[in-house]
Amino acid sequence: MTNTLLTDIFLAYYDARKNKRSTINALAFEVEYEKQLLALYQDILTRQYTIRPSICFIVNKPVKREIFAADFRDRIIHHLLFNYLNPLFDSQFIFDTYSCRKHKGTLCGITRVNHFIRSASENYSRDSWILKADIEGYFMAIDRSVLWEKIVKVLSRKCQQNFDLDTVLYLLEKVIFNDPTRDCIFKGKKEDWVGLPRNKSLFFSRHGSGLPIGNLTSQLFGNIYLSYFDHFVRECLGMRWYGRYVDDMIFVSRNKEELLRILPLISTYLSRELILKVHPKKISLQPFFHGVSFLGVYIKPYRMYVGRRIKRNFFERSVGIVRQYLGVQPMSQEENQRTLSVVNAYLGSMGWCRSYTLRKKMLEELIRSELDRHFDISEDFLRIIRMEKKMDL
């Protein structure tokens, strides 16, 4: 089993360095990565593993958030736990849990909700209603003891596992009950925290509550924590058309009274079982023909539109790219790839909506800039192409 653990640590290391290989933390670890991984392996075997201080900072896009970036060594442990636990728990999630899951994501969530609305309204021919809600300060409100108990309960029922249970429980306890606010390293200025609600900061979380945004394990734990609620909605409340992305919940029904009836039941369950609170200012109930905003897209009968936040963020990122690389020649391969990835990610998400005129307008800045020396734009304005790649086609 110990040889398997060592192999798994190496595999977790390769997962952790994907898209992080150019960071200072990852580069420093990579210099003697075999020696470092063997030391990490010994620390786990001897139960001497300790979590190092995180770097705390604020990001403003897509919304203002407090991030705790774990040390690269600890990221390896996060990937190790994810590789062990995700296969066990993913099979227990309902289909319509969309975040941080293979073959799911925002596009899956958008298409499923669009399907719910079409099904409930029988292709927009009869009345149906949409209820939206989310949880107040979700990650900061997760009770670590409740989370621990729910995970242990599932693991104790699994007879066959491809890992040593004692080791996984040891690491889980370390990660779940770690307080990243202790000895954290601040990046940025105090003013960066101005405007961040208290319920979105770990520094103001209830004692024993809160998971750091920025850790892979936090995403998995967030799904596990609400998976019990998902089954309650489907099996006890009988809600057929229900989906969730992190804590953004959406319910569709042909009966407005049904949605009004389940709302207090939802609130009671979340409060009693999970110590969570539905955000009182983010509850909406409206007929389907008014449309609904979900995961950056506005869904209306027969069509979908790009949400305001995506428009604003794409425009700001495009302008930033132009200002950063205007006159830069040649652009490095890394800069080239980063620009290509950012712009095409936005264009790809817009491609599912009625957005041709919008895409064309937003790309005009790139067309007029000197970046046209590095990229060309497809005729349908759905992607940009590296010049050398285009010449190869």
Side-chain angles (χ1 to χ4, degrees):
M1 193 69 209
T2 55
N3 289 335
T4 301
L5 175 62
L6 182 58
T7 300
D8 293 340
I9 290 173
F10 270 81
L11 292 175
Y13 162 70
Y14 293 126
D15 289 337
R17 76 177 187 179
K18 288 177 183 176
N19 303 319
K20 296 288 182 182
R21 203 166 185 181
S22 61
T23 63
I24 295 175
N25 215 341
L27 288 171
F29 192 95
E30 190 171 0
V31 172
E32 294 184 304
Y33 77 95
E34 291 181 335
K35 180 179 178 180
Q36 299 246 41
L37 292 175
L38 285 170
L40 178 59
Y41 168 68
Q42 287 298 327
D43 283 349
I44 295 172
L45 287 184
T46 57
R47 301 301 190 252
Q48 298 297 313
Y49 168 68
T50 57
I51 296 177
R52 296 176 178 176
S54 298
I55 298 175
C56 181
F57 57 95
I58 294 291
V59 297
N60 293 293
K61 301 295 180 184
V63 296
K64 197 178 190 78
R65 285 196 181 102
E66 178 184 80
I67 303 295
F68 284 86
D71 186 86
F72 185 77
R73 187 173 187 262
D74 298 320
R75 286 178 181 269
I76 296 171
I77 297 299
H78 298 165
H79 280 271
L80 180 70
L81 289 173
F82 185 88
N83 292 341
Y84 283 151
L85 299 180
N86 191 56
L88 292 177
F89 284 91
D90 191 78
S91 61
Q92 297 189 4
F93 297 154
I94 66 170
F95 181 87
D96 290 292
T97 299
Y98 311 119
S99 64
C100 196
R101 297 181 69 192
K102 195 172 183 179
H103 306 307
K104 297 295 175 73
T106 56
L107 179 57
C108 177
I110 291 165
T111 54
R112 285 290 291 175
V113 169
N114 188 44
H115 169 71
F116 293 163
I117 296 170
R118 293 179 71 106
S119 298
S121 65
E122 294 182 1
N123 207 23
Y124 315 122
S125 65
R126 61 173 292 173
D127 287 343
S128 62
W129 295 78
I130 304 168
L131 171 65
K132 270 186 62 181
D134 71 13
I135 294 165
E136 192 170 7
Y138 177 50
F139 280 101
M140 307 307 137
I142 291 175
D143 188 283
R144 297 173 194 157
S145 295
V146 174
L147 172 66
W148 167 257
E149 290 170 4
K150 292 187 179 299
I151 292 178
V152 170
K153 184 177 179 180
V154 172
L155 291 181
S156 64
R157 293 201 309 258
K158 297 292 183 180
C159 299
Q160 294 183 340
Q161 297 150 340
N162 63 339
F163 53 78
D164 177 60
L165 181 59
D166 289 339
T167 297
V168 169
L169 290 177
Y170 165 74
L171 293 174
L172 265 175
E173 188 172 12
K174 285 279 188 180
V175 171
I176 290 176
F177 293 103
N178 173 60
D179 182 2
T181 63
R182 289 184 181 179
D183 303 322
C184 66
I185 302 166
F186 288 95
K187 182 179 179 181
K189 298 175 281 189
K190 285 186 177 180
E191 291 76 20
D192 294 342
W193 272 258
V194 174
L196 182 73
R198 292 168 70 97
N199 65 6
K200 292 187 179 295
S201 173
L202 274 179
F203 295 100
F204 299 100
S205 293
R206 187 181 70 252
H207 179 70
S209 298
L211 297 178
I213 296 176
N215 289 356
L216 176 64
T217 47
S218 295
Q219 299 176 51
L220 175 60
F221 295 159
N223 273 345
I224 293 172
Y225 201 74
L226 278 178
S227 65
Y228 296 86
F229 172 76
D230 295 335
H231 286 284
F232 167 75
V233 170
R234 280 281 171 85
E235 295 154 20
C236 298
L237 299 183
M239 294 303 300
R240 177 181 175 189
W241 296 303
Y242 159 76
R244 177 177 63 82
Y245 188 95
V246 192
D247 65 320
D248 289 335
M249 302 171 288
I250 192 161
F251 309 77
V252 182
S253 176
R254 293 170 179 162
N255 191 326
K256 180 181 179 181
E257 285 67 34
E258 179 183 38
L259 296 177
L260 290 171
R261 176 183 63 82
I262 69 167
L263 187 54
L265 299 177
I266 289 168
S267 298
T268 299
Y269 180 93
L270 289 171
S271 176
R272 185 183 65 242
E273 301 293 333
L274 301 174
I275 321 178
L276 299 173
K277 181 181 178 182
V278 175
H279 200 303
K281 296 182 179 179
K282 294 187 178 180
I283 300 171
S284 67
L285 176 60
Q286 57 192 24
F288 79 90
F289 53 80
H290 284 178
V292 63
S293 176
F294 189 63
L295 302 181
V297 168
Y298 205 79
I299 304 171
K300 298 204 73 169
Y302 299 107
R303 61 204 187 278
M304 290 187 285
Y305 297 104
V306 179
R308 293 177 183 176
R309 183 187 295 172
I310 290 181
K311 291 180 189 178
R312 182 177 65 251
N313 289 346
F314 180 55
F315 176 76
E316 291 176 358
R317 291 295 294 273
S318 297
V319 170
I321 288 169
V322 169
R323 288 176 179 170
Q324 184 176 357
Y325 299 127
L326 193 63
V328 174
Q329 188 177 12
M331 180 185 286
S332 72
Q333 184 175 355
E334 184 179 345
E335 293 165 343
N336 191 298
Q337 184 59 47
R338 186 184 303 115
T339 301
L340 193 76
S341 299
V342 168
V343 175
N344 282 343
Y346 277 104
L347 294 176
S349 65
M350 291 180 178
W352 293 91
C353 306
R354 291 191 178 184
S355 61
Y356 177 84
T357 302
L358 176 65
R359 298 194 310 270
K360 181 178 179 182
K361 180 180 178 181
M362 288 186 161
L363 287 174
E364 285 177 353
E365 188 73 23
L366 292 177
I367 296 172
R368 288 197 302 266
S369 76
E370 295 182 41
L371 284 178
D372 62 1
R373 291 184 286 108
H374 304 284
F375 303 100
D376 200 356
I377 298 173
S378 64
E379 293 182 2
D380 54 8
F381 295 94
L382 277 173
R383 62 178 178 145
I384 62 173
I385 309 165
R386 283 201 301 265
M387 282 295 192
E388 63 270 20
K389 182 172 284 190
K390 186 188 176 192
M391 289 167 38
D392 293 339
L393 296 177

